[in-house]
Structures are given as structure tokens and as C-alpha cells.
């Protein structure tokens, strides 16, 4: 469900024609729908409204300041993985008291920043990290709240690059070591173990892996509480899948109705960390076709956007629907939609049937709101795209297109002789 659709044969974001946006702001252009963001957030919120739940939007999926601000105004908390993300959340008006901080490589500087900002808790991913947090907190004469991120060793049935809850993944504390670690951790006087956390992967379209993982971790929480711990929060991470192609992911309501019974009698607050579920279908990437090129065996549409703006197809062979901005009745033709980057892996779509496309036509890459702009780069010295957000018939520029000056702003020509 989203608010991108055709009106009079023209693709619109809510009530705004994409042609108008491309003309005013240029291409490539990320376009977000305010209503899609807020409705997705509200869907999760209402699905869990009958139990104490904190929704911490996962900043890594889309960290634009307006995007975060919209969610902060909805009451969202935030899941972060770096000091930079914490900085963005605070700058966007997010409440640090609703921030949970995961990630396997938190530096001392980042831990200090998290403590000073008064975040809700650090989700700890190793013994050494726990020691480090304890040492830093001691130096700062503080006691900080932590959650133990446990790796439940379950198969999330998604792309292997975005599976995070298997034994061989670098994330979380091995499930068999969790209880021993907890006993050790109680010796640390400057950390308070308040939560148990998991995150099993991303773009998960069935509920079964969650049921398996939650059931395993529930046993651990019960065991810990029997030894005198007081686990207040059960953070079940993010990972809810969205529709890129023909997937049939569970809705927030279906997800909630299957997993809520698992928490019966647990007396815990739930934390959810959805990223893609909220941001995925709330954004599209608009590109212009620069050249139509007939190759030896393929028809290429060469666009002004590529892997530097949206790396998912190149990185994970991810599928994104491609739509013509202006509907035409031309016959279908088979295309590879590619970018201008000097890499054979630079493509947006392969072997797609589209109504015959001409040079200068606009195309929209759907479901580009998550892991799109945040994973963009300046490779080939291309300037990052602009971003706009649409609400009804209002348009807000939420990030300017980078300039040539931006490209070299941090470089220095050293005086080397
Ligand atoms: N929480 C953690 C710890 C993550 O690592 C991620 C993504 O990698 C998320 C939440 C968000 O995942 P998704 O966007 O699939 O909901």
C-alpha cells in the first residue's frame, strides 16, 4: 500500500505529477510520500497498541532529516548503529530516551556520545563490547542500560547478505554463551542489563522465523529472570518484508496476531525496529533515459541514475519495478535498464518488458525509499541526487542535489614536491 499511482496516465506522488517534480528539481530524484510513511508507522503502532511497545524506526533504512522528523512527530523511537545516526536523530528532533543502539563495532567515542545523549539502551553484541561500555561508563561515573543481542541461530529465508541471525553471522552473542555471559556481566557494576535483543535479518516475508527465534529467546529471558535478572524489554528487531515484485509479506496486523501470544505472561515491554516496512514503499527514484542503445544481444536504456544512487540491484540482484512516468500504448520491448557508471554490474533492471521507451523519457524505480539514498555514493564522481517529500499537493525539497563544489569540498591538494 502506497500513494504512488497513475492519474490521467501520469505517475503521481500523492497529488503531485512526477513530470512537474522532475522539471523543477531535475533527475535523478528521490521522491517520498509523507502519507505512505505515516500510514506504515501507524499500521505497526496500532497492531501492537494493546501491549506496551516502543517502535524504534531503523534509521539505516532512510536517514533523511525530514524523514526522521516526520517519524519523531508520530512518536517513534529510533534504532541506530553509529554516532552519525545518533547525531541525525537528535538533529531531526528525535528523543534520545527512545533510542536503542546496536552494531558490532561501537567505538569508545560513540559510546561516550550515546551515554552523554542519554539513550535508552545499548544493544551489546559481544563480551568485549560489554567490557568496553562498562569501562567507559565507569570513567564517566554512570551506570548505563544495556540489552544483550542474542543470535538465535534461525534461518530467516532471505538473501544471504541480509541474514543476520545465523551462527555464522557476525551479529549478536551466540545463544549457547548467552547465559554464561549474563552471569559474568553481572560482575560489571556500570551496566544494567535491562533488555534482550534479536534481529534475524531483513526482507523477511514469513512469520515462522520470528516465532522460532522469539520462542528460543523467550526461554533465555525466563532463565535469566529466574537467576534474579529483571529483563524489562524484549527487542525483536526489524526485518519485516515489503512488496518489490510478487512477494506476499504478512501485514503488520497478521504479524502482530501471530507473535503477540508468545509474550503472554512475560511482563515485558516490546521493542520493534522496522526500517524497510516503513520506508521501502514510501519512495521512488526518478530517472531520465539518456540513450537508447542497441547492443549485440540486448536493448539498453541508459539512464542518468545507476548503482551510485541505488546499489541494491548490483549488490543483491534485488528486483525493483520500473514504471514509465507517462503511460504510452507503444508495444512492449525487452530492455536492460542500466546506469552511466563504468561497471558491468551497474544496472537497475535486467530483461524487463516496458512499452517502447524514447530518449528523454522518465522512468520511476519503485520501492526505493529503503536502502536507497543511504547507500548512495559519489563513485565516478557523480553528485548525489536531490530528495523531495510530497504531502498532498505540497512539495518539500528535503535534500539538495550535490554540487560540483560538494564533490571536492573535503579534498586537499597537498604541496608534494
Ligand atoms: N535492526 C537492526 C539491528 C538491523 O540491523 C536492521 C537492518 O539491518 C534493522 C533493524 C532494520 O531492518 P529492516 O529494514 O529490514 O526492518
Amino acid at each position: 500500500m502506497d500513494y504512488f499511482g497513475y492519474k490521467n496516465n501520469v505517475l503521481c506522488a500523492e497529488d503531485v505529477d512526477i513530470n512537474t517534480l522532475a522539471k523543477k528539481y531535475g533527475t535523478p530524484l528521490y521522491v517520498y510520500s509523507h502519507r505512505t510513511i505515516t500510514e506504515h508507522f501507524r499500521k505497526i503502532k496500532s497492531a501492537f497498541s494493546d501491549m506496551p511497545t516502543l517502535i524504534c524506526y531503523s534509521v539505516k533504512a532512510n536517514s533523511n532529516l525530514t524523514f526522521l522528523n516526520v517519524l519523531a512527530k508520530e512518536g517513534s523511537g529510533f534504532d541506530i548503529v553509529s554516532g552519525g545516526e545518533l547525531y541525525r536523530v537528535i538533529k531531526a528532533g528525535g528523543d534520545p530516551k527512545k533510542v536503542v543502539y546496536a552494531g558490532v563495532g561501537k567505538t569508545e567515542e560513540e559510546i561516550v556520545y550515546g551515554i552523554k545523549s542519554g539513550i535508552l539502551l545499548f544493544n551489546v553484541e559481544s563480551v568485549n563490547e560489554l567490557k568496553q561500555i562498562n569501562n567507559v561508563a565507569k570513567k564517566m561515573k554512570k551506570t548505563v542500560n544495556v540489552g544483550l543481542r542474542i543470535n538465535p541461530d534461525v534461518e530467516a529465508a532471505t538473501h544471504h547478505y541480509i541474514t543476520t541471525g545465523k551462527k555464522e553471522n557476525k551479529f549478536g552473542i551466540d545463544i549457547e554463551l548467552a547465559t554464561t555471559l549474563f552471569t559474568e556481566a553481572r560482575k560489571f557494576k556500570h551496566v544494567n542489563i535491562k533488555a534482550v535483543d534479536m534481529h534475524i535479518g531483513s526482507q523477511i516475508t514469513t512469520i515462522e522465523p520470528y516465532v522460532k527465534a522469539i520462542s528460543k529467546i523467550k526461554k533465555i529471558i525466563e532463565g535469566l529472570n529466574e537467576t534474579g535478572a529483571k529483563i524489562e524489554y524484549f527487542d525483536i528487531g526489524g526485518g519485516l518484508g515489503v512488496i518489490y515484485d510478487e512477494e506476499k509479506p504478512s501485514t503488520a496486523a497478521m504479524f502482530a496476531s501471530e507473535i503477540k501470544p508468545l509474550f503472554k505472561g512475560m511482563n515485558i515491554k516490546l521493542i520493534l525496529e522496522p526500517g524497510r516496512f516503513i520506508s521501502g514503499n514510501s519512495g521512488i527514484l526518478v530517472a531520465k533515459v539518456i540513450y537508447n542503445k542497441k547492443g549485440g544481444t540486448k536493448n539498453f536504456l541508459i539512464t542518468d541514475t545507476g548503482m551510485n544512487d541505488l546499489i541494491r540491484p548490483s549488490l543483491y540482484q534485488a528486483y525493483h519495478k520500473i514504471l514509465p512516468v507517462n503511460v504510452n500504448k507503444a508495444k512492449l520491448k525487452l530492455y536492460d535498464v542500466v546506469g552511466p557508471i563504468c561497471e558491468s554490474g551497474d544496472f537497475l533492471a535486467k530483461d524487463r518488458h516496458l512499452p517502447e521507451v524514447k530518449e528523454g523519457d522518465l522512468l520511476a524505480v519503485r520501492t526505493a525509499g529503503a536502502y536507497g539514498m543511504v547507500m548512495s555514493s559519489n563513485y565516478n564522481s557523480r553528485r548525489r541526487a536531490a530528495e523531495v517529500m510530497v504531502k498532498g499537493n505540497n512539495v518539500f525539497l528535503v535534500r539538495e542535489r550535490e554540487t560540483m563544489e560538494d564533490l571536492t569540498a573535503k579534498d586537499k591538494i597537498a604541496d608534494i614536491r
Side-chain angles (χ1 to χ4, degrees), residues 22 52 131 135 140 142 144 149 169 185 224 227 231 268 320 355 367 371-372 376 381 385 404:
K131 282 185 192 153
N135 288 342
M140 293 172 74
K142 300 253 186 199
V144 300
R149 176 168 174 182
N169 300 135
L224 294 181
T227 69
I231 303 298
I268 41 98
H320 284 262
T367 324
Y371 307 105
S376 65
S381 284
M404 292 298 191

Side-chain angles (χ1 to χ4, degrees), residues 9-224:
N9 291 330
V10 176
L11 187 66
C12 295
E14 302 197 12
D15 300 329
V16 180
D17 173 344
I18 299 296
N19 292 301
T20 316
L21 293 176
K23 203 164 177 189
K24 177 152 185 203
Y25 299 101
T27 56
L29 179 69
Y30 273 101
V31 181
Y32 305 121
S33 150
H34 179 275
R35 190 166 172 195
T36 312
I37 301 166
T38 52
E39 282 200 6
H40 278 91
F41 177 79
R42 288 173 197 175
K43 274 182 191 164
I44 303 199
K45 192 173 164 187
S46 84
F48 287 93
S49 59
D50 54 353
M51 69 175 286
T53 303
L54 176 63
I55 298 165
C56 292
Y57 166 71
S58 193
V59 173
K60 65 177 78 62
N62 188 322
S63 58
N64 177 276
L65 291 187
T66 300
F67 211 101
L68 301 181
N69 177 257
V70 166
L71 289 164
K73 285 196 276 205
E74 289 287 314
S76 184
F78 297 93
D79 154 55
I80 59 163
V81 285
S82 70
E85 287 191 347
L86 179 54
Y87 179 76
R88 281 183 172 273
V89 167
I90 294 169
K91 200 150 186 186
D95 181 356
K97 291 196 288 304
K98 293 186 190 168
V99 167
V100 295
Y101 189 166
V104 293
K106 302 173 191 84
T107 63
E108 181 171 352
E109 187 191 1
E110 289 176 312
I111 295 167
V112 169
Y113 185 30
I115 297 176
K116 274 194 182 153
S117 307
I119 63 168
L120 177 61
L121 54 90
F122 291 91
N123 276 323
V124 172
E125 309 223 15
S126 66
V127 188
N128 290 357
E129 183 194 332
L130 189 67
K131 282 185 192 153
Q132 172 77 320
I133 293 176
N134 187 64
N135 288 342
V136 174
K138 187 174 174 187
K139 270 195 238 158
M140 293 172 74
K141 299 191 174 56
K142 300 253 186 199
T143 305
V144 300
N145 295 335
V146 298
L148 300 184
R149 176 168 174 182
I150 296 174
N151 182 328
D153 193 29
V154 296
E155 184 55 71
T158 186
H159 191 284
H160 61 281
Y161 278 15
I162 48 178
T163 292
T164 55
K166 289 283 293 165
K167 262 193 189 302
E168 60 267 31
N169 300 135
K170 69 178 173 184
F171 301 100
I173 295 158
D174 190 278
I175 190 153
E176 273 138 41
L177 301 178
T179 315
T180 326
L181 171 67
F182 179 76
T183 317
E184 266 220 20
R186 293 181 85 181
K187 294 181 205 143
F188 299 136
K189 296 292 168 235
H190 294 267
V191 291
N192 222 337
I193 301 179
K194 282 228 175 170
V196 171
D197 169 43
M198 63 178 233
H199 171 75
I200 56 174
S202 201
Q203 186 55 13
I204 303 168
T205 51
T206 59
I207 304 172
E208 200 199 335
Y210 285 98
V211 173
K212 270 196 194 149
I214 291 169
S215 309
K216 276 184 158 184
I217 288 181
K218 179 180 171 174
K219 281 202 194 108
I220 292 195
I221 295 180
E222 285 165 350
L224 294 181

Side-chain angles (χ1 to χ4, degrees), residues 178-376:
T179 315
T180 326
L181 171 67
F182 179 76
T183 317
E184 266 220 20
R186 293 181 85 181
K187 294 181 205 143
F188 299 136
K189 296 292 168 235
H190 294 267
V191 291
N192 222 337
I193 301 179
K194 282 228 175 170
V196 171
D197 169 43
M198 63 178 233
H199 171 75
I200 56 174
S202 201
Q203 186 55 13
I204 303 168
T205 51
T206 59
I207 304 172
E208 200 199 335
Y210 285 98
V211 173
K212 270 196 194 149
I214 291 169
S215 309
K216 276 184 158 184
I217 288 181
K218 179 180 171 174
K219 281 202 194 108
I220 292 195
I221 295 180
E222 285 165 350
L224 294 181
N225 283 340
E226 272 165 25
T227 69
K230 284 196 186 74
I231 303 298
E232 262 181 59
Y233 297 94
F234 188 174
D235 182 342
I236 63 163
L240 291 178
V242 301
I243 303 173
Y244 285 95
D245 183 13
E246 310 266 275
E247 301 92 335
K248 292 198 173 51
S250 55
T251 62
M254 279 155 58
F255 177 69
S257 73
E258 280 206 40
I259 67 156
K260 275 191 294 193
L262 303 172
F263 306 112
K264 259 212 179 99
M266 279 191 84
N267 194 22
I268 41 98
K269 293 185 198 106
L270 191 63
I271 297 178
L272 301 170
E273 302 173 353
R276 192 189 312 265
F277 181 85
I278 291 171
S279 55
N281 275 307
S282 64
I284 60 170
L285 173 61
V286 182
K288 188 184 275 176
V289 175
I290 309 291
Y291 296 113
N292 232 311
K293 175 170 174 176
K294 202 159 170 38
T297 56
K298 294 214 158 198
N299 297 310
F300 294 105
L301 290 177
I302 301 174
T303 70
D304 60 2
T305 190
M307 65 189 286
N308 64 304
D309 291 313
L310 181 69
I311 202 173
R312 299 189 71 259
S314 308
L315 189 61
Y316 321 115
Q317 292 81 47
Y319 179 97
H320 284 262
K321 275 191 186 139
I322 310 270
L323 301 176
V325 168
N326 298 290
V327 173
N328 70 56
K329 301 265 179 323
K331 63 174 182 345
L332 293 180
K333 210 169 158 179
L334 194 63
Y335 292 108
D336 272 15
V337 184
V338 303
I341 302 286
C342 297
E343 297 279 343
S344 294
D346 176 31
F347 64 91
L348 296 165
K350 287 195 167 172
D351 299 319
R352 283 305 161 81
H353 281 105
L354 290 168
E356 197 161 345
V357 179
K358 296 188 299 300
E359 291 174 1
D361 283 359
L362 294 176
L363 297 175
V365 185
R366 269 179 71 68
T367 324
Y371 307 105
M373 185 64 175
V374 283
M375 291 174 95
S376 65

Side-chain angles (χ1 to χ4, degrees), residues 386-405:
E387 295 173 289
V388 295
M389 190 175 291
V390 173
K391 182 180 183 200
N393 54 18
N394 294 308
V395 182
F396 305 89
L397 178 64
V398 298
R399 193 176 203 267
E400 288 174 14
R401 182 175 308 286
E402 287 181 355
T403 62
M404 292 298 191
E405 291 74 32

